[in-house]
Amino acid sequence: MQIGFRQNGQFKRFTGQLQELWQKEPQLRIVAAIALLFWLVCCGLALQRYFNFYPTYVSFDQGIFNQVFWNNLHGRWFESSLSSTESVAVMQGDVPDVTYRRLGQHFTPALLLWLPWYALFPSPAGLSVLQVTLVTVAGLVLYALARHYHPPQLSAWIAGSYYGAIAVLSPTVANFHDICQIPLYSFGLFLALEKRRWWVFWLLAVLILLVREDSGILLFGFGAYFIASRRFPRAGIILCLMSVIYVVTLTNVIMPMISQDISDRFMIEQFGQFVGDREASTLQVLWAILSNPWRLIVELVTPFDRTLRYLLGQWLPLAFIPVLSPSALLLSGLPLVKTLLQREDITALSLHLRYAMSLVPGLFYGVILWWTQHPDLFRKLRFRRFWAFCLALSLLLTVTSNPNRVLSFLIPDSFQPWVYVSPMRQAEHSRAIRSLLAKIPPDASITATDHIVAHLSNRREAQRFPGTRLRNDDREVIRVQYAVADLWYLKQYEPAFADYRQSLAINVDWVNRLLDRRYGMIDFRDGVALMQLRAQSNPEALAAWEAFRQTIPSPTSTSHFVNQKG
């Protein structure tokens, strides 16, 4: 009873202090208002894209994460037939497996922390809201971290820069990804360190490691900074040891026991330029990088234009202060090196995808520390105007780039040639898709194109179109019962984007193949085909399909366009 009274008294004191702070600091209210606006806008954009079936570069990932959460909710820990489609075994000719554990590709046990949320909102839309919420709360923790050193006004500017950063905004409105946890855990770790709340510090350090198999690189960078700055050398040494032991053991022992994807696929895809196209462990990749310093230097600076744009985009919302801050450069250095060395530079050097968010905690914490040595600069009106200009430019560049196509209802996807689908037309197409999906039983096995499969991923047996075979729980190889292919959106964008044109030709061919393989066309609406195994084709649907196919231009008629997919 005494413990209860004591805890109640502590809670009252905490709420009283918070209320007093709210009244005394107008900057806190401003930051809270910005955070709320950020949450509302990002949730609105992410949800309207999802419910209106706008395809994105990583639409398929939304289905993978949702199926992983759905299987976790049913006690099938980290299993995913969708993730299995990207495994080495399937690439070598095997069929996707419903019992495949995604932990062999990416070790992400920290996701279990958010399983209660998913139990309340069990859908990909719920995951999008979770992502926006985590990133939003991280900004409030950042403000508290800045307030440990700085007055309210400067702290508010730092927090506002976070909410306006390209590397924060764009990945937040992307499909759900595991790195959305990193800012919250990292800012919390720094704040716990400054407050000397060691149990919180070590708890968050463990959580950072559990986000992904490569988040140990981020934590190692934090530890290296604590050692080099001599601020917390003991904590830094422990962090470095933790990170090395964890990453080496995980990627060389534990993950290979689940599947061979980490060595046979991901190391080759990301660092194949150092090891060649052969199997390689993380230790072998590290040795190959360190033993080839000239190649290392070349990879760090090339492609020069993309690398420069990437760095400028990361530094822009903070008025380029990270360039002047050794702390910021050191804290963000290791994840930056990993990003620059990745062979998949199209995704790695993109400010709009999840990898860019890994650099944010180190950059902002380093800037907070830099301002402790240069407080007078903020008092200059000219500098504050420059900072405001940089922040406004960051927001402008984010909006005009149409990150992850959340603004496609406003901004054309291509100007030359003109490619734009009005919101009303997209909504009409979405209704057609939903009418077809309503005909699929909730427990039926399915295959669907990338931006549709997420809507069907709350089930055990799901495939990525055009794949139709998978291994079920009885260890039998079966063909899925339903196939859904959206060809309409490919047709809209193929005049401007070469890869859409190629995908359209491939998918049209696969629809014809499925019709020859005991699948019947049971419905066809607005360029979307719904087929069922061993079903008799609906004559009207089949006629609609044939009419649609006749409208598709030949692959050579638009070959002069060489744009890449938006």
Side-chain angles (χ1 to χ4, degrees), residues 116-131:
W117 173 285
Y118 187 79
L120 294 174
F121 309 101
S123 74
L127 292 181
S128 292
V129 175
L130 171 62
Q131 176 164 283

Side-chain angles (χ1 to χ4, degrees), residues 49 56 58-62 128 131 171 173-177 404:
R49 182 196 59 211
T56 68
V58 287
S59 294
F60 185 60
D61 288 1
Q62 188 87 343
S128 292
Q131 176 164 283
V173 297
N175 290 302
F176 182 84
H177 55 83
N404 298 286

